[in-house]
Amino acid sequence: MSAVVSHQADGDGRVRVSLAELIALRGRVTRMRMPPQDSRATRVGTQSSRLYGRGMDYAESRAYQPGDDVRRLDWRLTARSGRLHTKLFQEEREGQLLILLDQHPSMRFGTRVRFKSVQAARAAALAAWYAVKAGERVGLMAFGESRFLQRPRGGVHGALDVCGALAKYDAQSLHQGESLSSALQHVIKLQQGANRVLLISDGHSSDESARNRLLEMMRHTAVRILIVADELELKPAPPGSYPIEHDGELRNITLRSPQQRETFQQRLGAGQAKLSTMATSLGIPFRVIDTAIDPLDAVSALLRNAGARR
């Protein structure tokens, strides 16, 4: 489904991604003050990352999860609490952020300012510029009808590669594609050395198996989720008649009663509601943004690990 927009030119920043805009977003991030890095990250281009694996320094313990290495059980805490706990270690390494971008047809929808697909690309570009400013390598995997992988790379070239990939992938025609769980499974297999994953989606590709895939990914990777939604998906529309294009056919939907408007909103917003609920149940930091706002605050909050939920 896609909303009717009067001006539809490729690269206009409304219905199609503007590569020039994605590159220009670098200036927004450059002026930001970054949070202080761990003092142990002394090498150029490195930072301390908490990894669920072997390392030199003990970081913390958490409740045992199926699949954890039994050789890393915290026997003292287990004895005190009566529940199995696993030790986590911290090692110093170059951080890597992998942006996982949903490109299903549902993303080509927007009634305010721009399509969700364009807002998602802007958020992904900001995340890429933020990552390289923090000394991380950054890569992109887009999924939908087909997958597109831009392998992690450091420095300005890494962010430029992501911006170019976003514009190139957006120019393709979109058709219904793989589920979120399938894309997550592919990321788990690839891993690409990423210790952080930022999923950007409207939630409509979410399926029941995605929860287990996210849980599996969380054992080795810090996961953050940015949900992009149209205003009509977040709250009932005002009474009126709305022109909607679906499968190339133009239709007018009339919404008068409160029940009609609420039902319409719930149907449109089912994806973001499902993904929000899934993230909450797993304790994954997430943000929900609409298509009209500046995504920088949400992106920076998630990537600096603040991750406030909405």
Side-chain angles (χ1 to χ4, degrees):
M1 182 182 292
S2 59
V4 176
V5 179
S6 59
H7 176 57
Q8 295 192 1
D10 287 347
D12 63 2
R14 298 179 64 204
V15 302
R16 292 292 186 183
V17 167
S18 166
L19 178 58
E21 180 188 12
L22 301 186
I23 295 173
L25 289 173
R26 178 188 182 186
R28 302 280 315 286
V29 178
T30 300
R31 294 189 293 271
M32 292 181 63
R33 293 186 61 184
M34 305 297 286
Q37 299 294 324
D38 192 301
S39 60
R40 284 178 291 180
T42 56
R43 298 191 302 273
V44 175
T46 64
Q47 64 181 37
S48 279
S49 303
R50 185 164 293 176
L51 305 178
Y52 296 160
R54 295 183 180 276
M56 296 301 295
D57 300 316
Y58 169 78
E60 63 181 0
S61 294
R62 61 152 167 76
Y64 174 85
Q65 296 178 0
D68 283 352
D69 189 341
V70 295
R71 293 173 296 181
R72 292 189 282 117
L73 288 177
D74 187 334
W75 293 110
R76 291 186 179 181
L77 183 55
T78 296
R80 290 199 304 270
S81 66
R83 296 176 57 198
L84 288 173
H85 281 75
T86 300
K87 289 183 178 180
L88 304 181
F89 297 86
Q90 188 168 336
E91 70 173 353
E92 196 173 290
R93 56 162 290 174
E94 183 179 22
Q96 290 198 28
L97 171 68
L98 182 63
I99 302 168
L100 182 57
L101 182 67
D102 192 335
Q103 285 282 273
H104 279 77
S106 62
M107 297 291 286
R108 295 269 173 92
F109 176 78
T111 62
R112 300 293 188 277
V113 183
R114 57 182 64 89
F115 276 7
K116 290 184 288 184
S117 56
V118 174
Q119 181 73 316
R122 296 171 75 238
L126 286 167
W129 290 119
Y130 190 100
V132 299
K133 181 177 174 65
E136 291 183 303
R137 297 167 66 86
V138 62
L140 170 75
M141 194 185 96
F143 69 100
E145 182 185 17
S146 60
R147 296 193 196 110
F148 179 92
L149 176 65
Q150 184 66 51
R151 297 185 183 278
R153 187 179 180 188
V156 173
H157 291 293
L160 288 173
D161 285 348
V162 168
C163 291
L166 289 168
K168 180 178 180 180
Y169 198 87
D170 181 77
Q172 300 176 7
S173 298
L174 300 185
H175 302 282
Q176 195 62 36
E178 67 179 328
S179 64
L180 176 58
S181 64
S182 175
L184 292 171
Q185 184 62 40
H186 190 68
V187 172
I188 291 170
K189 291 179 179 179
L190 280 177
Q191 205 62 31
Q192 293 296 313
N195 56 293
R196 296 207 288 173
V197 169
L198 174 63
L199 168 63
I200 304 177
S201 173
D202 65 358
H204 284 286
S205 62
S206 301
D207 57 334
E208 294 301 324
S209 298
R211 189 181 190 280
N212 290 334
R213 299 290 81 77
L214 284 169
L215 186 60
E216 183 179 356
M217 183 180 292
M218 290 167 62
R219 295 173 186 161
H220 309 282
T221 310
V223 180
R224 302 290 183 266
I225 299 177
L226 182 65
I227 302 172
V228 181
D230 184 77
E231 184 174 338
L232 292 184
E233 297 173 330
L234 297 174
K235 60 183 180 181
S241 181
Y242 294 88
I244 299 292
E245 183 181 332
H246 181 61
D247 290 338
E249 182 181 349
L250 183 63
R251 305 175 183 176
N252 280 309
I253 297 179
T254 301
L255 304 174
R256 297 297 184 192
S257 70
Q259 183 177 358
Q260 285 179 322
R261 291 152 53 207
E262 184 174 349
T263 299
F264 184 70
Q265 180 267 318
Q266 289 176 350
R267 289 181 60 188
L268 281 184
Q272 69 87 16
K274 186 173 184 178
L275 188 53
S276 295
T277 300
M278 193 181 302
T280 299
S281 68
L282 293 172
I284 299 175
F286 72 95
R287 284 287 186 99
V288 180
I289 61 172
D290 63 37
T291 59
I293 72 168
D294 181 352
L296 181 57
D297 286 345
V299 169
S300 61
L302 290 171
L303 294 188
R304 70 170 179 261
N305 296 322
R309 300 183 189 124
R310 172 180 170 181

